[in-house]
Amino acid sequence: MSKKTNKRKSSARRNGRNGIDRLTIEKIKEAAAGIHQSILRGRKPGMKFPVRALSNVHYSPSKGFFELGRRKKERTLTVTTIKTFAQTLKLMELSKELVETDDFATKRDAYYQSKNWGEARFDEQSESDAVMDDIEALFSLYGISREQLRFYPEEHGGAVAGELIVIDRDPETGERIEIDCTRFGTGSYSIPHSVEHLEFKTKAKFILAIETGGMYQRLQNQKFWKKANCILVEMGGVPTRATRRFVRRLSESARIPVYAFVDCDPYGISNIYRTLKVGSGNAAHINKFFCVPHARFLGVTPQDIIDYDLPTHPLKEVDIKRAKDALKNDPFFQQHKEWVKALKQLLKMGVRAEQQALAKWGLNYVIEEYLPAKLKNPKKFLP
Amino acid sequence: MPAPLGEQLAEVAPSATSARRGRKKASPRLETAQSLARKQREISVSEFFLKNRHLLGFDNPQKALLTAVKEAVDNSLDACEQAGILPDLGIEIEQLSEERFRIAVEDNGPGIVRHQIPKVFGKLLYGSKFHTLRQQRGQQGIGISAAGMYGQLTTGKPVVITSRTGPTREAHHFRIVIDTTRNRPKVLEDSTIAWDKPHGTRVELELEGVYRKGARSVDQYVAQTAIANPHARIFYRSPKGEEIIYERVTDQLPPRPLEIKPHPYGVELGALMQMLRQTSSRTLKAALQSDFSRVSSRVAEEICTRAGIDPGRSPARLTPQEIERLFRAIPQVKIMAPPTNCLSPIGEEQILAGLQHVGAEFYTSVTRPPAVYRGNPFQIEAGIAYGGDLPVDGLVELMRFANRVPLLYQQSACAIFKAVMSVDWRNYGLSQAKGALPNGPCVIFVHMASAWVPFTSESKEAIASYPEILKEIRLALQECGRRLGAHIRRGRRLAEERKRRSYIEQYLPIIGESLQNLLGLSDRQRRQTVTSLQTILERSRRR
């Protein structure tokens, strides 16, 4: 690693990554050394993991996302935990190897890799996933995400179009590649599994995160991004880790706001928007990487249903339950009285409306009227 | 007599409605008292049972085959035990065609004297057992003749009997059919033949049936009979030609149960009337004292006083109303529990010996002290076999016995099943789903010995659930269960210990190797780490 090469692409490949990779390897070795020391001192070795139960999850209003509390559980090496202990070490070993060879493994890959570990092999992927979650939580304390440990999720990132140049590298040669997101024609740029190494160049004024593929396609095909000078991101339901991380890094590096455009129903509000903005309760250990705390809610709001006289459907049983639950138990919504008001209004109206309901006034009404009107006054967006 | 009554109703109902509709046009189908009287006649017992054969266990072909074998085996075992002979049984079943079988059951019992043979096998309700109150397999004298009758009905073939009462006597050979209308045997052949057995009886009959393996099969019946009768040697040839010998595991004959008189608490009104009519005593007091057990002179007088009847009255002259008063008086008088020497339990050691046939690793058994339900003494025994060759998956096998006879049908109606279900087997280390038998490699054995086992029907398939019986079965099962639990826990501890040791051996090298790779240790450092870790773990294990 210290050996300098004169090949420009090779050094470029390492420059941006060296720091974080060195930290990752350092922390893995540190954990292993701690165990080794205990053993040599004749003490039972252990590893301390943050407790990932919901009771150890808090909403931090200042940081604006769900955060893991300070409680830790210690997994001491005993006869009953010896197998998991061995598996944890093996998985850390795999991670170190992946960082060193600049490779990655999906959860499924890691599971199959374990088949070489003799008796320590995992019988089911659910077992390796659980151990991986523990390791992820352990290293999240040092600001190292799972992607940096080189364990990549299976799931796709969303689609991106607009005034943006993504700077990536050729996975084989490490050569720097500039990707112009205005030049995909009717298609889109697709967010990769890991986005840590990406850099951005943009003059756009904001990012518009869109719930449905249908709405994204309309805005994309009509080149709304050009008209509004923005970047369009398709979430496709609840956004994946990669999508959330991409939006977060892009908005931070370009210092531009993020507006969410989703259906007006409890799922769109409390699942999609809330996960984008503050993360989810049962993955609190990763929220600090994956949330977008400065995202704002453009629409569709309950008030929009009235203002734009949108066609509606009655709220279903689960919708009502979800909305009531959000009001009663969710610290994020409770924190913002605008949201309490909006959710109560929605419950009182007893209806929901989809983004595409705007098509009632013409297919391109959303582009010509709704979004321009909304964007004139971003201060009025819900928090 | 339910069937004839049912037929009558079926005939009467439509004619009654037509009578109402057409009073003027008198229907020719209307019956008069006179015409009905011409149809009214005695129904022979054999005829009745021919129509109601399900009552005797011949309701379907599979069951019929089993019941026929069972009746013959019951008789053979009873006969041997009464004569003090260690039973040596041969059971052979030959499949003649798809649904036709010939069964032969042979014993080394005392034999039957020549002039009785036709009646024993060719007349229903004829036998030595009905009039005695004693623990034995058969009760009414229906079984074997009903089996013969069923065979005759389905194949037209007679029952063939060979019997010899001693080495100096001749072996008699009979072929008998039953005259079903008159409940009388018809002898087709009566001869003597050469037979190599010094004494014993062989019954052969042909019948329609179905042979299946598995639950409720003849195979299972024979296997369970061997378990409950460890003093018997049984040779069995199945319809498929397999030959199994269940060797005798003990030479000890069960003690011969004594005959007892009925206890007043258990008598029913009708039976009481009949007993008083038939007694040889001349006064009521004497009748009560001599025909019932545990009735002393004082108790007899007290019953009479309570009923307001003079103890000196002639029992045969009492009016039905007086007998009913007497009947109501009995429960008000305190009478000692019946004697229990009429019971012959299998015994704890013998149950253990019998259970050896299943090939388990752990056995336990309990014989409860005698108890009483409705004036009838009874005794419960239970046994458990666990582990070994028994199948690990699925429910435990429950074996039910009444007076050493396996009960294979109507499990869920039986007091034994109910008692087993009422025990929480999870306390004893077996898993158990709600409303089901426990799971595991386990056989549960329950035996009820009594001079009068309260079956739920004449086909003797399930024991009625008297609270006293349920309680005794539960107590016996719980005792066995506690011992089983101790055994299972001991086994689990050992398995755990083995597992821990193998765990350490399996995963220590992996941890060492992983630390070596992560930290770049030398081989010597790795070995040192593994040794050190092993010491730490061994130490914590002992603590």
Side-chain angles (χ1 to χ4, degrees):
Chain A
M1 195 148 306
S2 57
K3 205 176 174 185
K4 282 213 169 175
T5 71
N6 52 5
K7 281 184 191 167
R8 206 173 138 259
K9 59 187 177 186
S10 218
S11 61
R13 169 182 175 181
R14 289 198 171 132
N15 266 345
R17 313 173 46 75
N18 244 345
I20 190 79
D21 282 351
R22 213 181 292 127
L23 178 71
T24 308
I25 287 176
E26 190 181 299
K27 288 299 173 190
I28 291 175
K29 280 186 168 176
E30 221 169 74
I35 292 162
H36 188 225
Q37 287 306 312
S38 310
I39 295 173
L40 292 184
R41 287 199 203 107
R43 281 206 302 262
K44 269 194 236 170
M47 285 189 239
K48 273 186 182 166
F49 300 98
V51 173
R52 287 189 292 119
L54 277 178
S55 58
N56 194 33
V57 172
H58 317 281
Y59 175 69
S60 160
S62 59
K63 291 180 188 157
F65 56 85
F66 283 107
E67 202 181 30
L68 216 51
R70 285 203 197 131
R71 272 171 42 217
K72 302 229 170 96
K73 66 172 177 199
E74 178 151 27
R75 180 175 295 151
T76 320
L77 177 52
T78 63
V79 178
T80 44
T81 59
I82 188 165
K83 185 176 181 184
T84 327
F85 209 92
Q87 290 173 328
T88 310
L89 280 175
K90 288 302 284 184
L91 213 49
M92 279 161 57
E93 191 189 324
L94 174 63
S95 168
K96 177 170 169 267
E97 205 181 298
L98 292 172
V99 176
E100 281 168 357
T101 57
D102 193 14
D103 207 338
F104 71 92
T106 65
K107 282 180 162 188
R108 192 95 187 130
D109 287 338
Y111 162 68
Y112 281 122
Q113 279 278 309
S114 83
K115 296 295 181 191
N116 298 320
W117 302 348
E119 289 302 321
R121 80 183 85 80
F122 293 108
D123 295 326
E124 297 287 338
Q125 199 195 320
S126 56
E127 297 170 20
S128 61
D129 286 357
V131 172
M132 197 180 283
D133 284 348
D134 275 341
I135 293 178
E136 180 180 22
L138 177 68
F139 286 94
S140 71
L141 297 174
Y142 310 116
I144 297 168
S145 73
R146 193 165 80 202
E147 280 72 9
Q148 284 151 1
L149 290 166
R150 303 305 179 98
F151 295 129
Y152 288 4
E154 308 284 338
E155 59 204 4
H156 270 248
V160 176
E163 299 284 3
L164 168 69
I165 289 168
V166 178
I167 300 161
D168 201 347
R169 61 191 167 90
D170 185 306
E172 218 175 294
T173 61
E175 194 184 347
R176 184 181 151 99
I177 301 173
E178 293 199 351
I179 302 160
D180 184 348
C181 295
T182 61
R183 301 188 61 80
F184 281 87
T186 51
S188 301
Y189 171 67
S190 166
I191 299 172
H193 289 166
S194 177
V195 302
E196 297 307 324
H197 59 288
L198 300 182
E199 286 163 49
F200 308 102
K201 268 202 281 195
T202 181
K203 290 199 173 99
K205 286 200 298 227
F206 63 94
I207 301 165
L208 189 63
I210 300 149
E211 173 177 345
T212 62
M215 181 55 76
Y216 171 81
Q217 230 159 38
R218 172 155 305 281
L219 298 185
Q220 214 276 83
N221 281 6
Q222 300 293 328
K223 285 191 149 187
F224 177 74
W225 47 264
K226 187 162 196 180
K227 192 175 162 192
N229 188 21
C230 69
I231 300 163
L232 303 176
V233 177
E234 176 206 359
M235 295 189 286
V238 175
T240 60
R241 290 162 64 108
T243 308
R244 280 144 64 193
R245 185 70 182 144
F246 180 88
V247 172
R248 163 82 174 272
R249 289 204 61 228
L250 173 58
S251 73
E252 275 182 356
S253 83
R255 295 168 192 277
I256 50 176
V258 178
Y259 303 141
F261 181 28
V262 303
D263 287 348
C264 181
D265 59 19
Y267 186 76
I269 294 167
S270 92
N271 288 47
I272 296 174
Y273 174 66
R274 203 214 54 179
T275 304
L276 174 73
K277 180 164 169 121
V278 298
S280 67
N282 47 12
H285 56 290
I286 56 169
N287 283 344
K288 66 168 141 189
F289 307 112
F290 290 101
C291 63
V292 186
H294 47 274
R296 310 266 297 172
F297 191 88
L298 175 147
V300 176
T301 64
Q303 187 58 36
D304 287 345
I305 296 180
I306 301 166
D307 294 349
Y308 292 88
D309 189 18
L310 296 178
T312 59
H313 298 276
L315 286 178
K316 280 183 270 178
E317 197 81 6
V318 283
D319 291 326
I320 295 169
K321 198 168 158 265
R322 192 170 274 140
K324 284 187 171 162
D325 192 50
L327 283 170
K328 204 174 144 212
N329 299 322
D330 197 313
F332 166 69
F333 291 111
Q334 287 168 339
Q335 191 74 24
H336 298 285
K337 54 181 185 294
E338 298 95 320
W339 269 120
V340 174
K341 214 175 114 194
L343 283 171
K344 281 186 175 161
Q345 184 184 9
L346 187 67
L347 278 170
K348 202 174 156 201
M349 288 157 62
V351 293
R352 60 190 174 87
E354 292 170 8
Q355 297 180 300
Q356 278 153 310
L358 290 160
K360 173 191 171 190
W361 304 111
L363 289 175
N364 289 323
Y365 179 81
V366 61
I367 294 169
E368 283 148 18
E369 303 287 337
Y370 178 79
L371 286 173
K374 278 265 164 184
L375 287 165
K376 265 184 206 148
N377 211 345
K379 288 216 175 92
K380 283 179 83 179
F381 290 172
L382 284 165
Chain B
M1 308 242 160
L5 186 65
E7 278 163 29
Q8 267 185 20
L9 284 176
E11 262 173 47
V12 168
S15 53
T17 49
S18 64
R20 226 180 297 123
R21 234 186 296 124
R23 204 166 277 244
K24 283 167 208 160
K25 288 187 269 174
S27 162
R29 287 172 61 215
L30 277 181
E31 298 275 8
T32 63
Q34 285 70 27
S35 71
L36 279 173
R38 278 195 295 278
K39 289 186 180 175
Q40 287 159 344
R41 60 188 152 85
E42 195 187 347
I43 296 152
S44 96
V45 201
S46 352
E47 238 182 336
F48 172 70
F49 281 125
L50 203 52
K51 282 185 176 165
N52 296 283
R53 56 192 191 201
H54 56 279
L55 294 179
L56 294 169
F58 293 94
D59 21 1
N60 64 58
Q62 191 189 349
K63 202 164 160 188
L65 182 65
L66 171 68
T67 307
V69 172
K70 181 168 133 81
E71 296 298 349
V73 170
D74 284 359
N75 283 354
S76 289
L77 288 171
D78 271 348
C80 289
E81 281 165 27
Q82 277 166 22
I85 300 167
L86 283 168
D88 200 336
L89 259 56
I91 304 166
E92 292 157 47
I93 307 178
E94 191 185 340
Q95 184 154 18
L96 303 172
S97 68
E98 186 60 37
E99 293 215 324
R100 188 178 278 210
F101 296 84
R102 181 186 295 130
I103 64 174
V105 174
E106 189 174 314
D107 64 49
N108 61 341
I112 304 165
V113 294
R114 180 179 161 269
H115 70 270
Q116 287 287 14
I117 293 175
K119 287 182 184 162
V120 168
F121 293 94
K123 188 173 168 70
L124 262 70
L125 294 173
Y126 188 89
S128 56
K129 300 171 186 174
F130 190 68
H131 300 282
T132 58
L133 201 48
R134 180 198 290 158
Q135 177 190 334
Q136 52 199 343
R137 294 173 181 82
Q139 281 173 338
Q140 291 106 332
I142 298 178
I144 190 62
S145 28
M149 203 168 68
Y150 177 81
Q152 184 182 325
L153 176 78
T154 52
T155 67
K157 295 288 169 78
V159 186
V160 182
I161 299 112
T162 311
S163 189
R164 189 175 187 183
T165 53
T168 59
R169 310 290 172 91
E170 295 202 90
H172 294 282
H173 190 71
F174 274 82
R175 296 200 308 141
I176 298 165
V177 291
I178 303 168
D179 177 346
T180 53
T181 41
R182 283 189 286 179
N183 187 21
R184 211 184 273 174
K186 206 161 108 192
V187 176
L188 301 182
E189 185 191 338
D190 171 5
S191 61
T192 59
I193 56 161
W195 203 26
D196 52 2
K197 271 213 154 89
H199 53 83
T201 304
R202 178 182 173 90
V203 186
E204 282 169 64
L205 50 95
E206 229 169 88
L207 76 166
E208 234 173 49
V210 166
Y211 171 74
R212 286 215 182 84
K213 290 189 164 291
R216 296 186 290 279
S217 62
V218 180
D219 309 354
Q220 193 189 24
Y221 165 77
V222 176
Q224 292 195 11
T225 301
I227 289 172
N229 298 277
H231 61 289
R233 178 185 186 276
I234 302 175
F235 166 81
Y236 171 56
R237 184 187 293 134
S238 80
K240 303 282 176 219
E242 304 132 315
E243 295 188 353
I244 305 173
I245 298 171
Y246 295 94
E247 288 297 346
R248 181 174 292 131
V249 281
T250 169
D251 282 340
Q252 227 180 332
L253 262 176
R256 190 160 145 57
L258 298 175
E259 193 179 326
I260 55 159
K261 292 172 203 152
H263 190 273
Y265 283 170
V267 78
E268 274 162 12
L269 181 58
L272 181 64
M273 286 179 177
Q274 197 172 2
M275 284 174 78
L276 291 174
R277 217 177 303 131
Q278 290 173 349
T279 181
S280 54
S281 310
R282 279 197 267 159
T283 66
L284 175 57
K285 183 183 163 189
L288 289 173
Q289 266 183 270
S290 63
D291 293 355
F292 286 99
S293 64
R294 299 298 198 206
V295 178
S296 62
S297 141
R298 195 189 52 77
V299 169
E301 270 172 31
E302 200 180 334
I303 294 173
C304 294
T305 320
R306 293 252 179 188
I309 302 167
D310 176 8
R313 290 273 300 278
S314 161
R317 297 227 179 112
L318 292 175
T319 66
Q321 290 75 24
E322 283 170 324
I323 297 177
E324 198 171 336
R325 287 218 304 276
L326 203 63
F327 178 71
R328 303 234 173 276
I330 290 173
Q332 301 170 21
V333 179
K334 203 170 177 193
I335 309 170
M336 203 176 158
T340 52
N341 55 5
C342 61
L343 296 171
S344 167
I346 302 174
E348 294 184 353
E349 282 186 20
Q350 309 278 32
I351 293 175
L352 293 184
L355 281 174
Q356 303 291 335
H357 288 302
V358 305
E361 64 174 34
F362 169 81
Y363 301 93
T364 185
S365 62
V366 163
T367 298
R368 296 278 311 156
V372 176
Y373 80 93
R374 292 207 44 204
N376 293 309
F378 72 97
Q379 198 160 5
I380 296 295
E381 300 178 278
I384 286 180
Y386 179 85
D389 303 337
L390 294 170
V392 177
D393 296 328
L395 302 178
V396 302
E397 188 180 351
L398 175 59
M399 295 187 182
R400 301 174 290 135
F401 299 89
N403 290 345
R404 295 170 188 257
V405 178
L407 308 177
L408 300 184
Y409 279 88
Q410 294 204 12
Q411 174 169 275
S412 55
C414 183
I416 292 176
F417 178 78
K418 288 173 189 167
V420 170
M421 297 286 284
S422 76
V423 170
D424 189 350
W425 290 94
R426 283 169 302 188
N427 292 341
Y428 309 129
L430 295 178
S431 65
Q432 184 179 20
K434 213 172 182 189
L437 286 173
N439 295 298
C442 186
V443 169
I444 298 177
F445 168 107
V446 179
H447 176 230
M448 173 171 180
S450 177
W452 192 262
V453 177
F455 289 111
T456 56
S457 77
E458 279 318 303
S459 52
K460 300 200 268 185
E461 289 158 347
I463 299 172
S465 307
Y466 286 94
E468 297 87 347
I469 297 177
L470 283 174
K471 182 185 152 207
E472 281 297 316
I473 301 175
R474 265 178 69 89
L475 289 172
L477 288 171
Q478 284 167 339
E479 177 70 40
C480 286
R482 278 191 289 276
R483 296 180 198 160
L484 172 67
H487 170 78
I488 291 179
R489 278 192 297 277
R490 191 162 53 239
R492 280 196 190 142
R493 265 203 308 281
L494 288 175
E496 196 115 302
E497 186 60 22
R498 268 199 302 278
K499 198 173 149 202
R500 285 163 76 109
R501 197 166 306 136
S502 79
Y503 245 57
I504 293 180
E505 280 161 18
Q506 277 173 3
Y507 298 114
L508 267 188
I510 295 173
I511 290 181
E513 182 192 306
S514 196
L515 286 174
Q516 178 174 33
N517 291 344
L518 280 165
L519 298 171
L521 306 179
S522 68
D523 281 353
R524 199 183 60 82
Q525 280 173 308
R526 187 198 66 210
R527 280 194 297 274
Q528 188 193 348
T529 312
V530 169
T531 319
S532 171
L533 185 54
Q534 181 151 15
T535 321
I536 297 168
L537 290 174
E538 296 280 347
R539 196 176 55 214
S540 72
R541 199 156 51 112
R542 240 171 278 128
R543 212 180 294 142

